Amino acid sequence: MTPILAAPATASAPSAPEPSYANRSANAVSDSAPRVEWNWPLASFEVTRPFVAPSHEYAAGHRGVDLRALADNTVLAPADGRVAFVGHVVDRAIITIDHGGGLVTTLEPVASDLSAGTDVARQEAVGELAVGGHADQGDLHVGVRLHGHYINPAVLVGEVPLAVLLPCC
């Protein structure tokens, strides 16, 4: 069953992935970088497509989470930061927010009147859900990079369970 959230979860964001891509999991983080209060960028949503870690840096995967807006199409800043990019890339309206400490969030498709260099506060409206991109219509794709490597956004709100190894054979 797909989780439905009525309000954005919040948590302190852990930080930096291990240096080697092959040796880190999609959820691997360390405590070396600053912590950031991070929320989901929609007030009410359901997850329509989860993060799927690629087996290596250039392999197939889903480097983000797709969220279906359930009520309001207002897109919120997931954390304090500065708008790094607003514009179109191919057929998608994108907004990218740099939160400092190597943490960057990209939201698409989002129509925004903001411009690069604008400071935004956590949960401040940054635009409206638009159409285009690879996600289904009505879905917001949330991608998060930490020091240039994509991580599962759910890690930032404490929603990724720890792996449990089971005996085999």
Side-chain angles (χ1 to χ4, degrees):
M1 186 164 148
T2 307
I4 295 176
L5 301 176
T10 185
S12 292
S15 207
E18 297 169 9
S20 168
Y21 193 93
N23 293 332
R24 72 174 178 89
S25 76
N27 304 327
V29 291
S30 77
D31 293 322
S32 63
R35 296 190 178 268
V36 175
E37 292 292 318
W38 201 92
N39 291 77
W40 287 110
L42 293 172
S44 179
F45 63 90
E46 66 180 340
V47 175
T48 57
R49 187 170 177 202
F51 182 88
V52 177
S55 59
H56 59 82
E57 192 169 8
Y58 302 104
H62 187 242
R63 292 164 174 85
V65 174
D66 293 349
L67 309 176
R68 169 73 40 97
L70 295 179
D72 188 3
N73 284 338
T74 301
V75 179
L76 310 170
D80 293 347
R82 178 167 286 159
V83 175
F85 177 81
V86 177
H88 282 79
V89 176
V90 186
D91 64 344
R92 347 176 155 186
I94 294 176
I95 184 165
T96 299
I97 302 169
D98 187 335
H99 307 290
L103 188 66
V104 177
T105 302
T106 298
L107 306 165
E108 65 174 85
V110 176
S112 179
D113 291 332
L114 298 178
S115 55
T118 304
D119 289 328
V120 293
R122 180 169 54 101
Q123 297 199 289
E124 177 182 336
V126 296
E128 292 290 320
L129 190 58
V131 295
H134 80 276
D136 291 339
Q137 188 169 342
D139 286 2
L140 174 70
H141 177 79
V142 181
V144 177
R145 287 172 291 151
L146 186 58
H147 302 295
H149 296 282
Y150 283 94
I151 63 169
N152 186 344
V155 167
L156 302 174
V157 292
E159 293 180 8
V160 176
L162 296 174
V164 177
L165 298 177
L166 300 174
C168 75
C169 311

